[in-house]
Amino acid sequence: MATEEEIDDSLYSRQRYVLGDSAMKAMAHSNVFISGLGGLGVEIAKNVVLAGVRSLMVHDTKTANNKDLGTQFFLREDDVKSKRNRAEACQARLAELNPHVSLRASSKDVFSDANLSFLSEYQCVVLTEGTKSLQMKVDEFCRAQTPPIKFIAGDVFGVYSYCFCDFGPQFTIMDPTGEDPKESFIASITKANPGVVTSLDNRMHGFESSDNITFKEVEGMTALNGTTHKISVLSPYAYSICDTSGDEYQPYKNGGIAVQVRTPKTVTFESLETQTAKPSSSFVDFLKDPSFSHLAIQSIQSFREETGKLPAVRSVADSDSLLKIATKLNDAMGSPCNPLDAKCLRALSFSAEGCFAPLTAAMGGIIAQEVLKALTGKFTPINQWLHLDAREVISNLLEGPASLFQPRNDRYDALRICLGEDTLTALHRLNLFMVGCGAIGCEMLKNYALIGIAAAETGKITITDNDIIEKSNLNRQFLFRPHHIQKPKSTTAAQSTSEINPSLHIDAHQHKVCPDTEMTIFHDDFFKGMDVVVNALDNVAARQYMDSRCVTNERPLIESGTMGAKGHVQVIIPHMTETYGSQRDPPDESVPYCTLKSFPATVEHTIQWARDKFESSFTQKPTTFNKYWATNGTPNDVIKKLSESQQPENSLAVVKILRNRPTNWADCITSARIKFEKYFNHRAKQLLSIFPLDHMMNDGTPFWQSPKRPPAPVEFNSASELHMLFVVSTARLIAACSNISVSEHDLSTDTLLQILAKVKVPQFKRSSKVIEVDATASSEKPESSEQSFSSDDIEQCRQELSHLVMERKAIPARCHMTPAEFEKDDDTNGHIDYITSASNLRAAMYHIEPADRFKTKRIAGKIVPAIATTTAAVAGLATLELIKYVLHSTLEDFRNCFLNLGLSLIMFSEPGPAAVTTIRPGLAFTQWDMWHVHGTEKYTLTDFVKHLKDTYSINVSLVVQGVRMIFVPLMPGHTKRLPKRMKELLKPADGVEYMDLTIGIEPPGEDDEDLPAPPVRYYFGLK
C-alpha cells in the first residue's frame, strides 16, 4: 500500500472514489490476520490484498486436497500432489495481486497455546473454519485489548453461510453512508419557531429528519451562515430548523445553500458469547427467517464441537443427531422458531461437508468489506450477524440417490456433495455466452472454473470484450497482472481462468456485441446455440441491447452490475420473468443550456463546461478541419471552388483555424493566454454589461438572485499556480493538435514568463451577441450562417486563403491536425489538468467552491467507482442464480438482489413475472412472444394481412419496419400497396433472411385506439 504522502492513483483510482483518501491512508497503516485458507478465507484475502492494506498474515494448518480445488482458486493440482500447506501454497499468488501489500504465511498451530498475544500486532482478525470454542476464545482476547482488535468470524457449511462482527464496545463510524453530502438551494426561510426552509424551484431537498445541515451564502438571515442545525423534514421540499424568530435573525432576502453535514457515529458491539444467545441478525430475504438461520449455524457448530466432525454426507443418523441438537437449542432460545423446519436442517446436515462456491464468493466479498470498515470507520458495519443461504437449490434434491452426492476425490467434491452428480454433468455441458471481461467478468470466470462450467467436451464458454488491460484495472480485475497490461482482456482472462481449471473450454473473442456484428458474428443462430447468456457490462445502453437480443432469441439472461459499494443481480428467464427493459430508471436530469453557458450554480456545471470546451476545441474543431480538406482537396482546389461561387461547408471556420494555427511553442502560449482572457475576463464583463448587478426583471425582482450568480472578471496573474496550469495545459493541447513538439525547456518557468511578457492581450469590446436566459432553450445551435453566406463572404474567404497560400501557411503539413482523444487515466497528457484548471477558474469567476483534481477527474471522466468486494459478492450471487436456472427452478426460487455493502444492506426479491398484455379474450402475449410469418418470393402484403387475420382473427391497422411506414390504410395510396410483394416493400439487403415488423390491430370501436401486438418476424423464404 502507498505511504501516507502518496496513493498510487494509477492503481487505486476507482477504489479511491469508493473509500476516499482518509480511508485509503488508514488501510496503509493496518495489519490483518486471516485464519483458514479454504474457499471463504482465500476470497476474503484476495479482496483485502486488492484493497491495499499494509500487511496481511494468512494462517492455515491444513494441507491442500482435491476438494479444496472446487472453492480455493489459488490452489493448483500440483499443490495437492505435493501436499502443500494451503496458506503457504497461496502466499505467492496472493502477493502477486498487489505489490504494495506485505504478505506473510503461517502453518503453525498458533491457537493451541493459551497465549494469543501474537494477535496484538493486528488491527483486524478474521477466523474462518474455526470451531465455536476457538471463536469465543479469540473474540474475548480481541475485545480485551486497548484499543480493541476488530474480530470477524465466518464460514460456509454446504449451502449455508454466516458472518459475525465484533468491533469492540465503542466503535466510531466516521462516514455511515459514503455518499457525497447533499446540497439544496434555498427559496425561503421563515422567521418563526421553528423556522421553515423551502427548497428552490420546488426541487426535492433529499434530506432526512435528524440530518445535520449547515448554511452558506444566505442573504438577509446571515446569522445562519456557517452554523449547523438538526432538521425535521416536513415534506420533500421543506424542513424545519431552529427558532429563527429572535432579533439575531434578520428577515431572509435571497440565496443560500443548505449542505448536509456528515457526523461520526459511535456504536456498541457485543461479544460473540452474548450475541450467540441473543443475536442481532440482519434481514436479507424476507421469505427466510434469520432466527432459523442463526439456529441452524449454531446447531452445526455444536454438532462439530460434540463429535469433532461435520455431519457425514447424506447420513440420516447424523441428520437426526443434528435435529436433536437444534431442538434443544431452540427450546433454550428467548424467541424459539415455531415450527422448527426439519427439512431445512436435514438439507444442512446432508450438505455440510460440502462447500457451495457461489456462497464463498458472495460471503467472501461481504466479509472483506467488513474488514475494510473495521480498519477505516468508512461505512456502516453489519450488526452483528449476517446469514446467507441457498437452501432452495437443494430443497428438491433431498430424495435423490445418496450415491450421486458422495465424494469421488476430485475437484468437484465440494459441489457434488451439495448438488449431486447430475447437476454437475449439466453444468459441465453448458454452453454459456458472457459479454464483458472486466471486474465482474473476471469474478464470473473464476466462479465458472470452480464449479466446472463447460468442463465437458460438449460444453463451451464464449466470452467477448474489445478492451485492453490498463493498470487501473488491476485493483479489481483479479485475473490480470502487471505483465498483462496492454493485452486483450478476453484472451488474457481465458488463459488465467484455465490456470484455475484446465478442463474448461473457453472461446475468447475481441468483438463488440452490437448491431454491427449482429449479422456476421453474434447472429441469431449464435444466440440460439447458447444455453444461457451472462452480462458483465458497465453501461445501460449495452445492457439494453443484450436484453433485446436475448428476448428476440428467447435466451435466459443473468444481469448484474456494480457502482461502488452498490450492486444488483437480475434474473431474466424466457416467458417466466420480466426483462431488463421492463423497468427503466428515471433519466438523469439534464442541465439547461443557459446554465452551462452563462449561469453556472455548482462546480458540476463548471466541470461540464470545461469538458465541453475540451471536446469542441481539441477534438471537434481539428476533426472538422481534417474532414474539410479530405472532402474538398488542396487549398488551391478550394480557392477554385470559391472562385466558382461554390460554398464548401465550414469554409469560414476552417480558414479561420488555418489563419490562427500556431507555428511554434510561443504561438501556443500566446493563444492559451488570450483564451484565458476571453473565457474568464471578457465573458464576465460581457455578461455584466448586459445584466448589471442592479438589473431587474420585468416583474420587479432582481435578475441576479439564487441560483444565478453574478460573475467577476478574473485578472491573470502569472504567480498563480491555477492560472499558469490553465495556460500551460491549454498550450500543450494546442501544440499537440498542431503537431508542435514541446521540450522541457519550453515548459520551464523562465521560458513561460518570457513568452507571456510579450503577449498582446486584446482589450474587452462589448459584443452584440444575445445571451440565452431561457432554461428551456436547447443547446443545439441554429443552422450555420455558412449555409448561405454572402458573395462578399465568399470573396473574403477566397482572398484570405489565397494570401495564406502565398505565405506558405497553407502547405499540406498545415492542412492536417491531430484531434485529441480524451483520456482521463494518462496524467502526462494534460487533459485532466486542462479541465481542472478551466473549471476552477470559471468557478472562481462565479464565486463557486472549486473541486480538486480528483473530483474533477471523476465527473469529467464519468468514472464509475468500483471496489473488488462488491464485485465478488455480486458475481457470487449471479452464479447462484445461474445454477438455479440449470436446476429448472420455479419463479418462487429465483431471486433478484440489490445490495449496498456500505450500508450492510442486502435485499432479495422474487423476480417480477412477465407482464401479460391481452388483445382480446383468448389472445394475449408477453414481452417474450413474437409472431412468425413465413413468406415466399411472391408473398404480397395482402397475403401477410390475410395470414394474420386467419391465424389470430385480427384486422391489421398498421405495419411498420423500423421508422418506415409500410402500410397505414388511412394514408393516401397505401391501399394500393396491398398487391405488392413484401420483398418489394421491405427492400431487404442481399442475404437478409427476415425482418422484424411492428403491427397495430384494428380496435373493436371506431373511437378506440389501435390494439397492441407482439413483434412480427417476417421471413423472406430464402431457405
Side-chain angles (χ1 to χ4, degrees):
M1 177 64 198
T3 65
E4 186 171 348
E5 290 73 31
E6 179 187 0
I7 295 174
D8 187 349
D9 188 63
S10 62
L11 177 65
Y12 292 117
S13 62
R14 305 311 188 259
Q15 181 176 288
R16 286 178 73 187
Y17 291 117
V18 182
L19 299 178
D21 284 3
S22 61
M24 294 288 293
K25 291 171 182 177
M27 289 193 301
H29 294 86
S30 299
N31 306 308
V32 179
F33 179 95
I34 298 177
S35 179
L37 260 286
L40 180 60
V42 77
E43 183 68 54
I44 300 167
K46 178 258 289 182
N47 294 321
V48 169
V49 171
L50 288 172
V53 296
R54 179 185 180 185
S55 74
L56 173 65
M57 168 67 82
V58 288
H59 166 259
D60 199 300
T61 59
K62 298 178 182 178
T63 56
N65 61 45
N66 279 320
K67 191 169 78 170
D68 288 327
L69 298 177
T71 57
Q72 225 283 21
F73 47 85
F74 276 157
L75 290 179
R76 303 291 179 260
E77 291 178 359
D78 286 344
D79 298 324
V80 175
K81 291 176 183 177
S82 58
K83 298 182 179 180
R84 295 189 67 192
N85 172 270
R86 296 192 301 182
E88 292 173 350
C90 294
Q91 180 182 2
R93 297 183 185 109
L94 283 167
E96 257 191 331
L97 295 172
N98 193 335
H100 299 297
V101 177
S102 172
L103 204 137
R104 297 174 292 159
S106 171
S107 59
K108 296 178 181 179
D109 189 5
V110 293
F111 294 118
S112 60
D113 194 332
N115 184 6
L116 299 180
S117 59
F118 69 92
L119 293 175
S120 299
E121 66 176 288
Y122 303 102
Q123 283 71 52
C124 183
V125 171
V126 182
L127 289 190
T128 69
E129 303 183 5
T131 63
K132 187 175 181 180
S133 57
L134 177 61
Q135 292 175 353
M136 295 275 193
K137 173 183 171 182
V138 175
D139 179 53
E140 183 181 359
F141 173 83
C142 291
R143 284 182 68 86
Q145 305 310 299
T146 306
I149 300 171
K150 284 68 178 178
F151 173 77
I152 300 173
D155 216 333
V156 178
F157 300 110
V159 295
Y160 282 73
S161 67
Y162 77 95
C163 166
F164 170 78
C165 296
D166 177 7
F167 294 172
Q170 298 289 313
F171 179 75
T172 301
I173 305 171
M174 303 304 297
D175 183 354
T177 69
E179 303 288 346
D180 289 337
K182 295 183 176 68
E183 293 191 359
S184 174
F185 284 93
I186 295 168
S188 66
I189 306 174
T190 63
K191 194 169 168 55
N193 185 14
V196 175
V197 182
T198 305
S199 299
L200 187 68
D201 294 336
N202 210 31
R203 292 176 179 268
M204 291 188 288
H205 49 70
F207 301 141
E208 298 178 4
S209 290
S210 297
D211 275 356
N212 289 303
I213 64 169
T214 186
F215 293 93
K216 61 181 182 181
E217 302 179 22
V218 175
E219 297 178 18
M221 201 176 286
T222 56
L224 287 176
N225 289 328
T227 61
T228 301
H229 303 266
K230 183 170 286 190
I231 67 168
S232 179
V233 170
L234 304 177
S235 75
Y237 313 100
Y239 49 91
S240 62
I241 52 172
C242 63
D243 181 358
T244 58
S245 61
D247 294 340
E248 68 271 28
Y249 295 101
Q250 296 301 309
Y252 172 81
K253 289 183 179 179
N254 179 46
I257 302 173
V259 183
Q260 194 176 37
V261 178
R262 296 294 186 200
T263 54
K265 176 183 177 184
T266 300
V267 294
T268 298
F269 285 83
E270 295 180 333
S271 69
L272 176 58
E273 183 177 8
T274 301
Q275 276 285 308
T276 298
K278 296 181 179 180
S280 299
S281 297
S282 303
F283 266 103
V284 296
D285 189 331
F286 285 97
L287 297 179
K288 297 176 181 178
D289 182 1
S291 297
F292 172 79
S293 300
H294 180 76
L295 175 65
I297 292 298
Q298 295 308 309
S299 300
I300 204 75
Q301 289 197 323
S302 294
F303 182 99
R304 183 167 60 180
E305 290 282 333
E306 292 180 11
T307 65
K309 68 179 186 69
L310 291 171
V313 179
R314 297 274 153 167
S315 169
V316 176
D318 281 357
S319 69
D320 289 341
S321 298
L322 181 69
L323 184 58
K324 289 178 182 178
I325 292 172
T327 302
K328 184 178 179 181
L329 290 175
N330 189 48
D331 291 342
M333 289 176 62
S335 301
C337 299
N338 187 18
L340 192 61
D341 194 332
K343 181 180 178 181
C344 284
L345 285 169
R346 191 172 298 278
L348 170 60
S349 179
F350 280 4
S351 66
E353 275 279 7
C355 189
F356 196 43
L359 281 187
T360 63
M363 188 56 79
I366 293 167
I367 293 178
Q369 187 67 59
E370 295 308 300
V371 173
L372 304 187
K373 294 175 188 178
L375 301 176
T376 65
K378 180 81 172 188
F379 298 131
T380 301
I382 291 171
N383 179 33
Q384 288 187 249
W385 293 91
L386 179 74
H387 296 92
L388 196 62
D389 71 70
R391 66 183 77 165
E392 58 273 16
V393 301
I394 61 171
S395 59
N396 295 324
L397 301 175
L398 296 180
E399 305 305 322
S403 60
L404 295 178
F405 298 85
Q406 296 299 325
R408 302 185 183 183
N409 197 28
D410 65 21
R411 66 165 56 241
Y412 303 114
D413 276 351
L415 187 62
R416 182 182 287 109
I417 292 169
C418 298
L419 302 183
E421 187 65 26
D422 290 347
T423 305
L424 260 64
T425 300
L427 291 170
H428 293 175
R429 293 175 177 174
L430 205 65
N431 281 284
L432 180 148
F433 178 40
M434 186 177 76
V435 186
C437 298
I440 291 180
C442 285
E443 294 290 341
M444 294 286 198
L445 286 171
K446 173 255 293 178
N447 295 338
Y448 300 161
L450 295 175
I451 64 177
I453 286 183
E457 288 294 331
T458 53
K460 183 167 69 173
I461 299 173
T462 305
I463 59 176
T464 189
D465 195 310
N466 65 333
D467 204 359
I468 60 172
I469 299 163
E470 299 173 356
K471 185 177 179 181
S472 62
N473 301 147
L474 305 183
N475 174 239
R476 62 201 182 282
Q477 300 176 19
F478 93 105
L479 293 179
F480 307 142
R481 302 290 180 271
H483 61 272
H484 292 142
I485 291 173
Q486 293 302 303
K487 291 183 178 180
K489 285 187 176 181
S490 60
T491 54
T492 306
Q495 179 184 351
S496 297
T497 305
S498 296
E499 292 175 7
I500 299 173
N501 186 345
S503 301
L504 264 56
H505 299 89
I506 306 177
D507 181 19
H509 293 252
Q510 298 173 48
H511 305 289
K512 195 172 183 179
V513 185
C514 62
D516 291 343
T517 56
E518 193 170 306
M519 302 303 293
T520 55
I521 303 170
F522 303 118
H523 40 68
D524 286 350
D525 288 342
F526 171 85
F527 272 88
K528 288 174 180 175
M530 295 297 152
D531 297 312
V532 66
V533 179
V534 176
N535 273 355
L537 297 164
D538 62 358
N539 67 88
V540 172
R543 290 185 174 107
Q544 290 172 337
Y545 177 76
M546 284 299 300
D547 180 63
S548 69
R549 297 292 288 137
C550 288
V551 170
T552 298
N553 292 286
E554 299 177 281
R555 296 294 91 185
L557 175 65
I558 307 297
E559 155 60 25
S560 62
T562 70
M563 179 180 287
K566 301 171 186 173
H568 75 270
V569 176
Q570 183 180 0
V571 191
I572 300 164
I573 309 296
H575 304 287
M576 179 186 290
T577 72
E578 62 184 6
T579 67
Y580 179 80
S582 301
Q583 303 292 331
R584 292 288 179 91
D585 292 332
D588 292 335
E589 190 174 339
S590 60
V591 181
Y593 171 66
C594 68
T595 299
L596 288 178
K597 183 76 175 175
S598 303
F599 308 109
T602 67
V603 77
E604 286 79 10
H605 297 159
T606 68
I607 292 171
Q608 185 60 54
W609 174 86
R611 179 68 179 86
D612 291 346
K613 275 293 171 194
F614 177 95
E615 194 69 22
S616 64
S617 300
F618 308 117
T619 302
Q620 292 174 359
K621 285 182 179 179
T623 299
T624 300
F625 185 83
N626 291 343
K627 184 179 178 182
Y628 179 88
W629 298 114
T631 302
N632 296 298
T634 67
N636 286 325
D637 294 332
V638 173
I639 291 171
K640 182 179 179 182
K641 290 180 180 181
L642 292 170
S643 299
E644 296 169 351
S645 297
Q646 294 184 42
Q647 300 179 14
E649 188 178 5
N650 295 316
S651 291
L652 290 176
V654 167
V655 171
K656 181 181 178 182
I657 293 172
L658 190 61
R659 178 182 72 237
N660 296 329
R661 179 168 179 166
T663 58
N664 52 49
W665 175 241
D667 290 347
C668 298
I669 290 290
T670 300
S671 178
R673 173 64 184 88
I674 292 172
K675 285 181 183 293
F676 181 103
E677 202 72 11
K678 174 184 175 183
Y679 294 162
F680 311 118
N681 185 286
H682 290 183
R683 287 194 177 172
K685 292 177 178 177
Q686 172 72 10
L687 198 57
L688 291 172
S689 70
I690 298 173
F691 304 112
L693 293 176
D694 57 357
H695 186 76
M696 305 298 285
M697 304 282 281
N698 292 335
D699 61 1
T701 58
F703 179 83
W704 293 110
Q705 61 178 336
S706 183
K708 285 190 179 75
R709 298 167 175 267
V714 179
E715 300 295 335
F716 180 76
N717 180 0
S718 60
S720 166
E721 184 177 340
L722 177 61
H723 294 193
M724 290 299 288
L725 180 63
F726 174 82
V727 169
V728 173
S729 59
T730 305
R732 286 183 60 202
L733 285 164
I734 293 170
C737 288
S738 303
N739 306 313
I740 296 170
S741 60
V742 182
S743 67
E744 288 295 323
H745 177 264
D746 291 332
L747 294 170
S748 69
T749 302
D750 289 344
T751 302
L752 295 172
L753 293 177
Q754 288 175 17
I755 298 172
L756 287 169
K758 299 176 182 177
V759 176
K760 295 180 180 179
V761 180
Q763 294 296 310
F764 168 70
K765 292 181 181 179
R766 178 171 172 170
S767 168
S768 59
K769 285 184 179 179
V770 175
I771 294 179
E772 182 62 67
V773 296
D774 182 2
T776 63
S778 169
S779 62
E780 295 182 7
K781 296 179 181 179
E783 287 294 314
S784 172
S785 59
E786 285 199 7
Q787 300 301 320
S788 57
F789 56 83
S790 67
S791 57
D792 290 342
D793 292 330
I794 296 173
E795 178 58 22
Q796 180 184 348
C797 190
R798 185 193 68 77
Q799 289 182 11
E800 190 163 358
L801 186 55
S802 299
H803 183 69
L804 291 169
V805 169
M806 289 177 59
E807 292 187 334
R808 297 191 55 77
K809 291 185 177 180
I811 58 176
R814 287 176 57 82
C815 290
H816 177 79
M817 300 182 75
T818 303
E821 293 184 15
F822 178 64
E823 174 49 61
K824 57 187 175 292
D825 288 321
D826 181 0
D827 289 339
T828 66
N829 61 20
H831 294 186
I832 296 298
D833 288 340
Y834 170 82
I835 293 172
T836 302
S837 58
S839 168
N840 284 342
L841 281 165
R842 188 167 172 84
M845 187 170 88
Y846 282 95
H847 311 288
I848 296 171
E849 189 174 332
D852 60 18
R853 190 179 191 279
F854 186 58
K855 180 177 180 178
T856 302
K857 178 179 175 179
R858 174 176 63 83
I859 296 172
K862 297 181 179 179
I863 292 175
V864 177
I867 190 168
T869 51
T870 314
T871 308
V874 164
L877 296 173
T879 305
L880 166 59
E881 299 308 311
L882 169 63
I883 290 174
K884 291 180 187 177
Y885 174 74
V886 173
L887 288 168
H888 306 291
S889 297
T890 62
L891 179 66
E892 292 75 19
D893 285 338
F894 285 109
R895 292 288 184 273
N896 290 343
C897 178
F898 168 78
L899 59 82
N900 184 338
L901 297 187
L903 299 178
S904 299
L905 173 68
I906 304 172
M907 295 299 298
F908 292 102
S909 61
E910 186 180 301
V916 178
T917 300
T918 301
I919 300 173
R920 56 173 169 74
L923 184 62
F925 66 94
T926 72
Q927 289 171 295
W928 292 98
D929 290 311
M930 176 181 284
W931 291 347
H932 297 265
V933 178
H934 294 270
T936 63
E937 183 73 23
K938 297 181 180 180
Y939 209 80
T940 65
L941 179 58
T942 298
D943 296 328
F944 176 82
V945 172
K946 183 176 183 299
H947 172 84
L948 293 174
K949 182 173 185 178
D950 293 345
T951 305
Y952 301 107
S953 301
I954 60 170
N955 292 316
V956 175
S957 60
L958 173 77
V959 180
V960 177
Q961 193 276 316
V963 296
R964 289 192 296 154
M965 293 286 190
I966 304 300
F967 178 58
V968 184
L970 297 179
M971 292 185 68
H974 272 228
T975 53
K976 295 180 181 178
R977 296 183 177 184
L978 286 168
K980 292 188 176 182
R981 291 182 302 153
M982 290 292 285
K983 191 172 183 179
E984 180 184 353
L985 291 170
L986 296 176
K987 299 179 176 61
D990 292 342
V992 172
E993 298 177 7
Y994 61 81
M995 282 187 174
D996 292 336
L997 308 176
T998 301
I999 68 167
I1001 300 174
E1002 194 175 284
E1006 290 186 6
D1007 297 331
D1008 296 334
E1009 294 184 359
D1010 284 0
L1011 299 175
V1016 178
R1017 177 162 289 183
Y1018 176 75
Y1019 296 85
F1020 293 101
L1022 298 182
K1023 290 185 178 180

